Amino acid sequence: MIRSDIDARSVFFAVLLAFFSLLVAAIIKPFLSYLLAVVLLAFLLSPLQRRLEPRLGEQLSAFALVAGTIGATALSVAVMVMAVPTDPSRVTQTIENELARGRFQRQLESALGVELPLQSFLANAPRRVAQLLVGDISNIVSATTDVFIGVLLLVFSLYYLLKDGDRLVTWIKRMLPLKVEITEELADEAYVTTWAVLKGHVLVAVVQGIVAGVGLFVVGISNVLFWTAVMMFLALLPIVGVAAVLGPAALYLFLDGRLFATAFLVAYGLTAVALVDDYLRAYVVDRESSLHSAVILVGVFGGVYAFGVMGLFYGPIVIGLFKRLVQLFNENYVETAETRTRAE
């Protein structure tokens, strides 16, 4: 009778825990991207927090780091806005002139073998964009509100994670129903893999943006510094990448009649720029996280589908932890069971 009561209580407690887990997941889901971002920010800033705590205290040091992060972000946005070209560029004039003469349209129609209503489409484009914006004004307001709330949540969560993050990690380790040795190995694996992925993505994005910017400079594209900064950001995004800038730049050169520069930029993008993404990213991440390049690629693309932009970082981290979990399970449980079976 006592045994059945214990089993019934265990089942009830498990059901209750699952029910509240679903409720917590529903609460977190709308702001999952912001919470994932704040965890990475806290991870990056935690070494500075530990250095500042003995001098400033945990509260003041956390506040200083949050304020510094906000200031650095605002300054970066301001610099980017100031760097945006404001004068009518030669690119726009060239494209408009080519479209007015109809040469580009004739080339496309000749290549595709069909007639394209390009002029009428471009003439109606401003009206269609205006209709789209007016029709989706409620969605824009809603998205703006969500972003505002998400940013507030990010700022306050970052402060508390910096201040109490070590205690939170200790509590999580204590709550895991695993051996202390296994818990510590998982924590070490998470630490190493996270640093490897962060350094891999950020470092490769910077290097690839600079390499692509050199190509734009060589062919004479204006505002190279601005476009280099844009490509550094785009390099973090799979599929899109720096091609979102190099492609239109090559098209502009082609319309401007600079065929040699067009061929050079296309070849440069397919060789030097592509090699940075294919090999440097895999080398940096694989070197420290012991993950195969193909696994990293799957983690990046699958992570984006699962977590949005933050999946760029969390995809490989999750796969790396899964790999280590399988290894630890095999070492600590499967082998133990086999040993017992042989002993019997």
Side-chain angles (χ1 to χ4, degrees):
M1 185 66 180
I2 295 176
R3 184 70 180 178
S4 63
D5 289 342
I6 294 176
D7 292 341
R9 290 175 182 176
S10 300
V11 171
F12 174 77
F13 186 80
V15 172
L16 192 64
L17 181 62
F19 175 71
F20 274 92
S21 298
L22 292 175
L23 292 179
V24 172
I27 293 171
I28 292 176
K29 184 178 179 181
F31 303 102
L32 180 61
S33 295
Y34 296 98
L35 294 175
L36 293 176
V38 78
V39 171
L40 283 183
L41 282 174
F43 180 82
L44 286 170
L45 296 175
S46 57
L48 292 176
Q49 173 72 12
R50 296 189 187 97
R51 290 188 178 184
L52 293 176
E53 274 186 8
R55 302 176 182 178
L56 304 177
E58 61 180 17
Q59 294 182 347
L60 186 57
S61 57
F63 178 80
L65 287 175
V66 172
T69 302
I70 296 174
T73 303
L75 180 61
S76 301
V77 173
V79 171
M80 285 293 295
V81 171
M82 293 175 62
V84 174
T86 55
D87 57 324
S89 65
R90 187 185 171 196
V91 176
T92 304
Q93 293 176 356
T94 300
I95 294 176
E96 288 179 352
N97 293 337
E98 291 296 331
L99 290 176
R101 288 198 297 264
R103 188 175 70 178
F104 179 57
Q105 182 176 352
R106 288 194 298 271
Q107 291 174 345
L108 280 178
E109 290 176 347
S110 175
L112 298 176
V114 295
E115 184 177 352
L116 298 175
L118 193 57
Q119 297 291 344
S120 61
F121 174 80
L122 292 174
N124 295 326
R127 178 176 58 83
R128 293 177 180 176
V129 172
Q131 290 175 349
L132 179 63
L133 293 176
V134 173
D136 290 343
I137 191 67
S138 60
N139 294 332
I140 294 175
V141 173
S142 176
T144 303
T145 304
D146 291 342
V147 170
F148 177 74
I149 296 174
V151 170
L152 283 181
L153 178 64
L154 186 150
V155 170
F156 284 103
S157 299
L158 179 60
Y159 170 78
Y160 286 110
L161 273 182
L162 289 174
K163 188 172 74 72
D164 303 320
D166 291 338
R167 287 189 284 271
L168 176 62
V169 172
T170 302
W171 179 82
I172 292 174
K173 289 180 179 180
R174 192 170 64 250
M175 291 298 103
L176 289 176
L178 299 171
K179 296 178 182 179
V180 176
E181 298 81 5
I182 297 178
T183 302
E184 292 300 327
E185 287 195 37
L186 282 176
D188 292 341
E189 181 68 23
Y191 180 85
V192 172
T193 304
T194 302
W195 271 119
V197 171
L198 284 174
K199 288 190 292 185
H201 283 302
V202 175
L203 175 63
V204 172
V206 172
V207 173
Q208 191 177 26
I210 293 174
V211 172
V214 171
L216 295 182
F217 175 78
V218 171
V219 297
I221 299 294
S222 59
N223 304 110
V224 172
L225 292 179
F226 169 75
W227 293 118
T228 300
V230 171
M231 287 187 292
M232 287 181 184
F233 171 76
L234 292 176
L236 293 171
L237 306 177
I239 300 177
V240 180
V242 298
V245 174
L246 293 182
L251 176 61
Y252 157 68
L253 294 173
F254 176 75
L255 293 177
D256 197 33
R258 299 162 60 185
L259 299 183
F260 178 78
T262 303
F264 170 80
L265 188 60
V266 171
Y268 184 80
L270 293 176
T271 54
V273 179
L275 286 175
V276 171
D277 184 64
D278 291 340
Y279 292 98
L280 183 59
R281 187 189 305 275
Y283 174 76
V284 173
V285 181
D286 180 67
R287 182 182 179 184
E288 299 190 20
S289 66
S290 70
L291 289 177
H292 191 274
S293 302
V295 176
I296 296 171
L297 186 64
V298 172
V300 169
F301 282 92
V304 170
Y305 278 98
F307 305 118
V309 175
M310 298 310 301
L312 288 168
F313 307 101
Y314 280 95
I317 292 172
V318 170
I319 292 182
L321 287 178
F322 173 74
K323 175 186 175 184
R324 189 59 184 150
L325 272 172
V326 173
Q327 293 174 341
L328 290 172
F329 178 79
N330 183 69
E331 294 169 2
N332 292 272
Y333 296 100
V334 176
E335 292 182 359
T336 301
E338 291 178 355
T339 303
R340 290 177 180 175
T341 302
R342 291 173 184 174
E344 294 175 355

PDB file of all heavy atoms in Angstrom, residues 19 28 40 67 74 99 132 135 170 174 184 214 216 247 252 281-282 304 317 322-323:
ATOM      1  N   PHE A  19       3.222  19.675 -16.871  1.00  0.00           N
ATOM      2  CA  PHE A  19       2.217  20.708 -17.138  1.00  0.00           C
ATOM      3  C   PHE A  19       2.814  22.104 -16.975  1.00  0.00           C
ATOM      4  O   PHE A  19       2.646  22.979 -17.839  1.00  0.00           O
ATOM      5  CB  PHE A  19       1.031  20.520 -16.199  1.00  0.00           C
ATOM      6  CG  PHE A  19      -0.005  21.610 -16.302  1.00  0.00           C
ATOM      7  CD1 PHE A  19      -0.821  21.715 -17.418  1.00  0.00           C
ATOM      8  CD2 PHE A  19      -0.137  22.548 -15.289  1.00  0.00           C
ATOM      9  CE1 PHE A  19      -1.762  22.724 -17.516  1.00  0.00           C
ATOM     10  CE2 PHE A  19      -1.077  23.564 -15.379  1.00  0.00           C
ATOM     11  CZ  PHE A  19      -1.887  23.651 -16.501  1.00  0.00           C
ATOM     12  N   ILE A  28       7.810  31.692 -22.466  1.00  0.00           N
ATOM     13  CA  ILE A  28       9.120  32.073 -23.003  1.00  0.00           C
ATOM     14  C   ILE A  28       9.119  32.171 -24.528  1.00  0.00           C
ATOM     15  O   ILE A  28       9.851  32.984 -25.104  1.00  0.00           O
ATOM     16  CB  ILE A  28      10.182  31.044 -22.544  1.00  0.00           C
ATOM     17  CG1 ILE A  28      10.389  31.145 -21.035  1.00  0.00           C
ATOM     18  CG2 ILE A  28      11.495  31.242 -23.279  1.00  0.00           C
ATOM     19  CD1 ILE A  28      11.350  30.106 -20.492  1.00  0.00           C
ATOM     20  N   LEU A  40      23.995  34.482 -24.605  1.00  0.00           N
ATOM     21  CA  LEU A  40      25.287  34.619 -25.281  1.00  0.00           C
ATOM     22  C   LEU A  40      26.018  35.891 -24.835  1.00  0.00           C
ATOM     23  O   LEU A  40      27.236  35.878 -24.617  1.00  0.00           O
ATOM     24  CB  LEU A  40      25.091  34.646 -26.792  1.00  0.00           C
ATOM     25  CG  LEU A  40      24.818  33.310 -27.478  1.00  0.00           C
ATOM     26  CD1 LEU A  40      24.711  33.506 -28.976  1.00  0.00           C
ATOM     27  CD2 LEU A  40      25.901  32.293 -27.160  1.00  0.00           C
ATOM     28  N   ALA A  67      25.390  49.094 -19.318  1.00  0.00           N
ATOM     29  CA  ALA A  67      25.429  50.445 -19.880  1.00  0.00           C
ATOM     30  C   ALA A  67      26.452  50.534 -21.010  1.00  0.00           C
ATOM     31  O   ALA A  67      26.193  51.165 -22.044  1.00  0.00           O
ATOM     32  CB  ALA A  67      25.764  51.455 -18.782  1.00  0.00           C
ATOM     33  N   ALA A  74      24.559  51.540 -29.520  1.00  0.00           N
ATOM     34  CA  ALA A  74      24.047  52.807 -30.052  1.00  0.00           C
ATOM     35  C   ALA A  74      25.098  53.499 -30.927  1.00  0.00           C
ATOM     36  O   ALA A  74      24.781  54.061 -31.986  1.00  0.00           O
ATOM     37  CB  ALA A  74      23.624  53.724 -28.906  1.00  0.00           C
ATOM     38  N   LEU A  99      18.044  50.954 -67.891  1.00  0.00           N
ATOM     39  CA  LEU A  99      16.649  50.528 -68.008  1.00  0.00           C
ATOM     40  C   LEU A  99      15.884  51.438 -68.962  1.00  0.00           C
ATOM     41  O   LEU A  99      14.999  50.982 -69.702  1.00  0.00           O
ATOM     42  CB  LEU A  99      15.986  50.529 -66.627  1.00  0.00           C
ATOM     43  CG  LEU A  99      16.480  49.433 -65.660  1.00  0.00           C
ATOM     44  CD1 LEU A  99      15.815  49.620 -64.298  1.00  0.00           C
ATOM     45  CD2 LEU A  99      16.179  48.055 -66.212  1.00  0.00           C
ATOM     46  N   LEU A 132       1.554  48.039 -49.896  1.00  0.00           N
ATOM     47  CA  LEU A 132       2.011  46.994 -48.984  1.00  0.00           C
ATOM     48  C   LEU A 132       2.252  47.560 -47.586  1.00  0.00           C
ATOM     49  O   LEU A 132       1.859  46.966 -46.579  1.00  0.00           O
ATOM     50  CB  LEU A 132       3.284  46.353 -49.524  1.00  0.00           C
ATOM     51  CG  LEU A 132       3.909  45.242 -48.681  1.00  0.00           C
ATOM     52  CD1 LEU A 132       2.951  44.065 -48.568  1.00  0.00           C
ATOM     53  CD2 LEU A 132       5.238  44.803 -49.260  1.00  0.00           C
ATOM     54  N   GLY A 135      -1.124  48.523 -46.006  1.00  0.00           N
ATOM     55  CA  GLY A 135      -1.910  47.347 -45.663  1.00  0.00           C
ATOM     56  C   GLY A 135      -1.363  46.612 -44.458  1.00  0.00           C
ATOM     57  O   GLY A 135      -2.102  45.960 -43.717  1.00  0.00           O
ATOM     58  N   THR A 170      25.326  27.201 -10.897  1.00  0.00           N
ATOM     59  CA  THR A 170      25.508  26.252  -9.787  1.00  0.00           C
ATOM     60  C   THR A 170      24.205  25.542  -9.451  1.00  0.00           C
ATOM     61  O   THR A 170      24.177  24.326  -9.202  1.00  0.00           O
ATOM     62  CB  THR A 170      26.039  26.987  -8.551  1.00  0.00           C
ATOM     63  OG1 THR A 170      27.283  27.627  -8.884  1.00  0.00           O
ATOM     64  CG2 THR A 170      26.261  26.023  -7.394  1.00  0.00           C
ATOM     65  N   ARG A 174      23.310  21.502  -9.759  1.00  0.00           N
ATOM     66  CA  ARG A 174      22.830  20.746  -8.601  1.00  0.00           C
ATOM     67  C   ARG A 174      21.512  20.054  -8.891  1.00  0.00           C
ATOM     68  O   ARG A 174      21.229  18.975  -8.363  1.00  0.00           O
ATOM     69  CB  ARG A 174      22.684  21.680  -7.401  1.00  0.00           C
ATOM     70  CG  ARG A 174      22.464  20.950  -6.084  1.00  0.00           C
ATOM     71  CD  ARG A 174      22.566  21.867  -4.897  1.00  0.00           C
ATOM     72  NE  ARG A 174      21.538  22.885  -4.894  1.00  0.00           N
ATOM     73  CZ  ARG A 174      21.746  24.184  -5.100  1.00  0.00           C
ATOM     74  NH1 ARG A 174      22.982  24.619  -5.334  1.00  0.00           N
ATOM     75  NH2 ARG A 174      20.762  25.059  -5.080  1.00  0.00           N
ATOM     76  N   GLU A 184      30.060  18.117 -14.674  1.00  0.00           N
ATOM     77  CA  GLU A 184      31.199  18.994 -14.919  1.00  0.00           C
ATOM     78  C   GLU A 184      31.730  18.829 -16.342  1.00  0.00           C
ATOM     79  O   GLU A 184      32.113  19.817 -16.986  1.00  0.00           O
ATOM     80  CB  GLU A 184      32.308  18.699 -13.909  1.00  0.00           C
ATOM     81  CG  GLU A 184      31.969  19.094 -12.478  1.00  0.00           C
ATOM     82  CD  GLU A 184      31.689  20.583 -12.353  1.00  0.00           C
ATOM     83  OE1 GLU A 184      32.316  21.379 -13.093  1.00  0.00           O
ATOM     84  OE2 GLU A 184      30.850  20.947 -11.513  1.00  0.00           O
ATOM     85  N   VAL A 214      37.823  44.263 -50.037  1.00  0.00           N
ATOM     86  CA  VAL A 214      39.009  44.476 -50.888  1.00  0.00           C
ATOM     87  C   VAL A 214      38.640  44.309 -52.358  1.00  0.00           C
ATOM     88  O   VAL A 214      39.084  45.078 -53.217  1.00  0.00           O
ATOM     89  CB  VAL A 214      40.124  43.496 -50.482  1.00  0.00           C
ATOM     90  CG1 VAL A 214      41.268  43.537 -51.494  1.00  0.00           C
ATOM     91  CG2 VAL A 214      40.653  43.833 -49.089  1.00  0.00           C
ATOM     92  N   LEU A 216      35.696  44.857 -53.736  1.00  0.00           N
ATOM     93  CA  LEU A 216      34.941  46.052 -54.152  1.00  0.00           C
ATOM     94  C   LEU A 216      35.864  47.241 -54.372  1.00  0.00           C
ATOM     95  O   LEU A 216      35.666  48.038 -55.299  1.00  0.00           O
ATOM     96  CB  LEU A 216      33.893  46.393 -53.093  1.00  0.00           C
ATOM     97  CG  LEU A 216      32.765  45.376 -52.877  1.00  0.00           C
ATOM     98  CD1 LEU A 216      31.785  45.898 -51.824  1.00  0.00           C
ATOM     99  CD2 LEU A 216      32.019  45.082 -54.172  1.00  0.00           C
ATOM    100  N   GLY A 247      26.721  40.413 -55.506  1.00  0.00           N
ATOM    101  CA  GLY A 247      25.879  40.177 -56.679  1.00  0.00           C
ATOM    102  C   GLY A 247      25.395  41.463 -57.330  1.00  0.00           C
ATOM    103  O   GLY A 247      25.625  41.680 -58.536  1.00  0.00           O
ATOM    104  N   TYR A 252      25.869  45.911 -61.376  1.00  0.00           N
ATOM    105  CA  TYR A 252      26.133  47.317 -61.674  1.00  0.00           C
ATOM    106  C   TYR A 252      27.319  47.471 -62.637  1.00  0.00           C
ATOM    107  O   TYR A 252      27.262  48.234 -63.608  1.00  0.00           O
ATOM    108  CB  TYR A 252      26.386  48.076 -60.380  1.00  0.00           C
ATOM    109  CG  TYR A 252      27.187  49.333 -60.567  1.00  0.00           C
ATOM    110  CD1 TYR A 252      26.660  50.422 -61.258  1.00  0.00           C
ATOM    111  CD2 TYR A 252      28.494  49.433 -60.079  1.00  0.00           C
ATOM    112  CE1 TYR A 252      27.406  51.574 -61.458  1.00  0.00           C
ATOM    113  CE2 TYR A 252      29.240  50.571 -60.266  1.00  0.00           C
ATOM    114  CZ  TYR A 252      28.697  51.642 -60.950  1.00  0.00           C
ATOM    115  OH  TYR A 252      29.423  52.774 -61.142  1.00  0.00           O
ATOM    116  N   ARG A 281      35.930  29.089 -41.492  1.00  0.00           N
ATOM    117  CA  ARG A 281      34.888  28.856 -40.501  1.00  0.00           C
ATOM    118  C   ARG A 281      34.983  27.430 -39.944  1.00  0.00           C
ATOM    119  O   ARG A 281      34.938  27.206 -38.732  1.00  0.00           O
ATOM    120  CB  ARG A 281      33.506  29.089 -41.105  1.00  0.00           C
ATOM    121  CG  ARG A 281      32.375  29.020 -40.084  1.00  0.00           C
ATOM    122  CD  ARG A 281      31.020  29.031 -40.782  1.00  0.00           C
ATOM    123  NE  ARG A 281      30.855  30.173 -41.670  1.00  0.00           N
ATOM    124  CZ  ARG A 281      30.428  31.365 -41.269  1.00  0.00           C
ATOM    125  NH1 ARG A 281      30.147  31.574 -40.003  1.00  0.00           N
ATOM    126  NH2 ARG A 281      30.288  32.347 -42.148  1.00  0.00           N
ATOM    127  N   ALA A 282      35.095  26.461 -40.836  1.00  0.00           N
ATOM    128  CA  ALA A 282      35.184  25.077 -40.386  1.00  0.00           C
ATOM    129  C   ALA A 282      36.458  24.842 -39.578  1.00  0.00           C
ATOM    130  O   ALA A 282      36.448  24.111 -38.579  1.00  0.00           O
ATOM    131  CB  ALA A 282      35.142  24.138 -41.587  1.00  0.00           C
ATOM    132  N   VAL A 304      19.132  27.759 -37.588  1.00  0.00           N
ATOM    133  CA  VAL A 304      18.391  28.937 -38.055  1.00  0.00           C
ATOM    134  C   VAL A 304      16.907  28.617 -38.199  1.00  0.00           C
ATOM    135  O   VAL A 304      16.041  29.419 -37.841  1.00  0.00           O
ATOM    136  CB  VAL A 304      18.979  29.444 -39.389  1.00  0.00           C
ATOM    137  CG1 VAL A 304      18.079  30.502 -40.013  1.00  0.00           C
ATOM    138  CG2 VAL A 304      20.375  29.988 -39.161  1.00  0.00           C
ATOM    139  N   ILE A 317      26.200  24.434 -31.136  1.00  0.00           N
ATOM    140  CA  ILE A 317      26.373  24.181 -29.701  1.00  0.00           C
ATOM    141  C   ILE A 317      25.510  23.001 -29.261  1.00  0.00           C
ATOM    142  O   ILE A 317      25.967  22.114 -28.529  1.00  0.00           O
ATOM    143  CB  ILE A 317      26.012  25.448 -28.889  1.00  0.00           C
ATOM    144  CG1 ILE A 317      27.036  26.550 -29.153  1.00  0.00           C
ATOM    145  CG2 ILE A 317      25.958  25.132 -27.392  1.00  0.00           C
ATOM    146  CD1 ILE A 317      26.668  27.884 -28.549  1.00  0.00           C
ATOM    147  N   PHE A 322      25.049  17.316 -27.725  1.00  0.00           N
ATOM    148  CA  PHE A 322      24.435  16.011 -27.977  1.00  0.00           C
ATOM    149  C   PHE A 322      25.507  14.945 -28.204  1.00  0.00           C
ATOM    150  O   PHE A 322      25.415  13.823 -27.679  1.00  0.00           O
ATOM    151  CB  PHE A 322      23.507  16.096 -29.181  1.00  0.00           C
ATOM    152  CG  PHE A 322      22.955  14.762 -29.615  1.00  0.00           C
ATOM    153  CD1 PHE A 322      21.975  14.129 -28.872  1.00  0.00           C
ATOM    154  CD2 PHE A 322      23.436  14.127 -30.755  1.00  0.00           C
ATOM    155  CE1 PHE A 322      21.471  12.898 -29.259  1.00  0.00           C
ATOM    156  CE2 PHE A 322      22.945  12.905 -31.146  1.00  0.00           C
ATOM    157  CZ  PHE A 322      21.951  12.285 -30.394  1.00  0.00           C
ATOM    158  N   LYS A 323      26.519  15.300 -28.985  1.00  0.00           N
ATOM    159  CA  LYS A 323      27.612  14.359 -29.230  1.00  0.00           C
ATOM    160  C   LYS A 323      28.286  13.968 -27.931  1.00  0.00           C
ATOM    161  O   LYS A 323      28.563  12.782 -27.681  1.00  0.00           O
ATOM    162  CB  LYS A 323      28.622  14.992 -30.184  1.00  0.00           C
ATOM    163  CG  LYS A 323      29.864  14.143 -30.402  1.00  0.00           C
ATOM    164  CD  LYS A 323      30.894  14.891 -31.229  1.00  0.00           C
ATOM    165  CE  LYS A 323      32.181  14.069 -31.326  1.00  0.00           C
ATOM    166  NZ  LYS A 323      33.241  14.824 -32.064  1.00  0.00           N
TER     167      LYS A 323
END
